Amino acid sequence: VPTSTATLQLLNSTPLSGLSSTGTNVVSFANTGSTVEYAGAAQTVYTDASITGLSTGVGYQSIKFSGTGIKTPLSGNLNIAGDFTNTLVNDAGDYVNLMSNNTNFTGTTQSLAGGTGNGTVFNAVNFSGAGTKTMVSGNFYVATTGVLSMLGTNTSTVLAAGGLLTLNSSASGSATVAAIKTGPTITGNVNVQR
């Protein structure tokens, strides 16, 4: 467990594929002060879905995407308790593909950097936990088929969008914000297409 901060850079396309299928493996990316950086090319991003040798999958304190290629999470939930940083070019060949899983921001004070170019596009994104999740730079989008949810009833659960979040819309559909219960809030400007 780090005493301050530490970053683990993963460079292989499937960095946890070498886990033993016999015996017990223990992998934790959710330690205070830790960041996991997917820094290679065209990588599998691990979620809470089980993989060979790790039945519970993983969650993250902080996560960063860099390098090249498409970063594709496994099915399941991408659970993040700390910061989210996307430094990819975010064009047709270099982006994080968050279209097949839930992305859950569950921590207290979280800083979210969406990246340049096409930014970060969520299909299902959920915000929970006491504290403010602040979109600090780049671009964030909820896909035309996507849903943004503010979970729970805690009044200190805040998404500070700061004009960096857009709800996408097309002829085939529009992104939605699920009904927000009394408690959580979204502050700052949110852009809506159409």
Side-chain angles (χ1 to χ4, degrees), residues 99 122-125 142-148 167-168 173-178:
M99 297 305 293
F122 299 110
N123 187 50
V125 60
V142 178
T144 57
T145 57
V147 179
L148 181 149
L167 302 177
N168 286 348
S174 296
T176 59
V177 175

Side-chain angles (χ1 to χ4, degrees), residues 105-194:
F105 293 98
T106 61
T108 53
T109 302
Q110 293 181 265
S111 177
L112 315 178
T116 59
N118 296 327
T120 299
V121 181
F122 299 110
N123 187 50
V125 60
N126 305 304
F127 297 90
S128 65
T132 302
K133 295 85 171 89
T134 305
M135 294 180 167
V136 295
S137 64
N139 301 301
F140 292 92
Y141 302 90
V142 178
T144 57
T145 57
V147 179
L148 181 149
S149 299
M150 301 295 295
L151 303 177
T153 58
N154 193 320
T155 58
S156 62
T157 301
V158 177
L159 170 59
L164 302 177
L165 174 63
T166 299
L167 302 177
N168 286 348
S169 181
S170 71
S172 62
S174 296
T176 59
V177 175
I180 300 174
K181 296 178 183 177
T182 300
T185 57
I186 299 174
T187 63
N189 292 332
V190 174
N191 305 300
V192 180
Q193 292 183 342
R194 285 257 180 154

Side-chain angles (χ1 to χ4, degrees), residues 47-69:
T47 65
D48 67 354
S50 64
I51 59 172
T52 300
L54 195 61
S55 62
T56 60
V58 297
Y60 299 87
Q61 178 62 32
S62 294
I63 191 168
K64 180 176 181 179
F65 298 100
S66 64
T68 60

